[in-house]
Amino acid sequence: MMANISSFLNTIKTAIYGRDMRQALHDAIKTVNDGLETEVTDRKSAVSGETLARQSTDTALGSRIDAETESRTSEDTALGQRIDAEAEARKAADDTKADKETLNGGFAGG
């Protein structure tokens, strides 16, 4: 929003006394400065609000990614354990089969 300094400009243009001119210059510059400070403050607040919103979104996204990673890690661990168990079961079955074949072979040859 632009500061309205029309009245000050008019005083500067029509002032007869130096005192009036100085006061009009002072007031015009102060009005413009105050308006500028307000604008800068408003923009900083808006940027801060956007930054907070982005940080909140980033945090939520990070939490979601962490949860998904943890879930997949748990699934991978469970799958690994299942594969290990199946491998051990097959090995045990193969060992049992080999033992039976050895026993059968021993009787067959004797």
Side-chain angles (χ1 to χ4, degrees):
M1 181 175 177
M2 187 67 170
N4 185 0
I5 59 170
S6 299
S7 63
F8 302 122
L9 293 174
N10 188 45
T11 301
I12 292 167
K13 184 178 178 182
T14 61
I16 297 172
Y17 301 107
R19 173 183 70 227
D20 296 335
M21 175 71 72
R22 287 190 306 276
Q23 188 64 47
L25 287 169
H26 170 271
D27 293 346
I29 292 169
K30 183 173 182 343
T31 300
V32 169
N33 186 58
D34 291 347
L36 180 61
E37 286 179 352
T38 299
E39 182 71 21
V40 167
T41 300
D42 291 348
R43 288 186 185 204
K44 282 182 179 179
S45 294
V47 169
S48 293
E50 289 174 11
T51 300
L52 288 175
R54 284 188 184 134
Q55 287 173 344
S56 177
T57 301
D58 290 349
T59 300
L61 182 58
S63 296
R64 200 166 142 206
I65 289 170
D66 290 345
E68 182 67 23
T69 301
E70 186 175 319
S71 172
R72 289 182 185 227
T73 300
S74 295
E75 290 172 7
D76 291 348
T77 300
L79 179 59
Q81 289 171 345
R82 197 172 96 211
I83 289 169
D84 290 345
E86 287 178 14
E88 286 179 28
R90 284 187 181 169
K91 184 179 182 304
D94 288 347
D95 289 348
T96 302
K97 183 178 175 185
D99 289 344
K100 284 182 182 179
E101 288 175 358
T102 301
L103 287 175
N104 288 337
F107 286 117

